Amino acid sequence: HKFTSVGNYKIKYIFNKNINESDYMFYNCKDLIKLDLSNFSTNKVTNMKYMFGECKSLKQINLSNFNTENVTNMRCMFTSCKSLLYLDLSSFNTKNVTNMGCIFEGCESLINLDLSSFNTSNVDNMIAMFMGCKSLTYLDLSFLNVKNVSNMRCMFSECNSLIYLNLFHFNVDKYVFKIDNR
């Protein structure tokens, strides 16, 4: 279904019980403002890549009953959701996710993000994860397990308003940091 007009959409039922891919599902629904997905059956979904990517007008999204326990790919899931102020991801089970690259990239209005429920022990890609989150001021990631992450390039690039960043338990022993002393 192509969402072409400005307004609210209530999705009553999309998934059948055997669907396992939802990548690009709402991709580029640039006029979508509010989305209630609290009744989606996502228990077999493994791929949520770009699911809401480029939903530039999306301000509210209800994901309260999302079952993400089988998801392995969340790459760019919310990329360029420029109007989102808040995301409640407390119901997300991310124990099997390996790719979170660009998941929040370009969410420039996002002012609050609580990822304390995230299990990142299997994630290997966090490239540009928060890049361009220009309104975030506080981010506590001290609980994230990054032992298997091989790419964190540009993770916090363009986070201009960030004044508090807690990375206390980040184990980055395998990374080589270059400091430019110009």
Side-chain angles (χ1 to χ4, degrees), residues 73-87:
N73 191 350
M74 288 185 172
R75 179 173 175 77
C76 300
M77 188 172 177
F78 302 100
T79 193
S80 296
C81 288
K82 297 176 183 246
S83 300
L84 272 178
L85 297 172
Y86 175 74
L87 271 172

Side-chain angles (χ1 to χ4, degrees), residues 1 8 12-13 22 40 52-53 55-56 59 68-69 75 82-83 93 96 103 110 115 123 125 129 136-137 152:
H1 179 73
N8 297 330
K12 290 189 177 185
Y13 191 77
S22 65
F40 265 30
F52 307 102
C55 290
K56 297 176 183 196
K59 291 183 179 185
T68 58
E69 74 178 302
R75 179 173 175 77
K82 297 176 183 246
S83 300
N93 178 342
N96 291 312
I103 188 172
L110 203 57
L115 302 179
V123 175
N125 183 3
M129 191 169 174
L136 273 179
T137 58
M152 289 185 191

Side-chain angles (χ1 to χ4, degrees), residues 63-128:
L63 305 171
S64 59
N65 292 320
F66 255 41
N67 181 340
T68 58
E69 74 178 302
N70 292 312
V71 177
T72 59
N73 191 350
M74 288 185 172
R75 179 173 175 77
C76 300
M77 188 172 177
F78 302 100
T79 193
S80 296
C81 288
K82 297 176 183 246
S83 300
L84 272 178
L85 297 172
Y86 175 74
L87 271 172
D88 182 358
L89 305 176
S90 58
S91 66
F92 275 36
N93 178 342
T94 59
K95 69 179 180 184
N96 291 312
V97 177
T98 59
N99 191 340
M100 286 188 180
C102 302
I103 188 172
F104 306 109
E105 180 266 332
C107 291
E108 58 189 44
S109 298
L110 203 57
I111 56 174
N112 190 4
L113 192 58
D114 180 355
L115 302 179
S116 58
S117 65
F118 273 37
N119 176 344
T120 57
S121 59
N122 289 310
V123 175
D124 67 358
N125 183 3
M126 288 185 173
I127 187 170

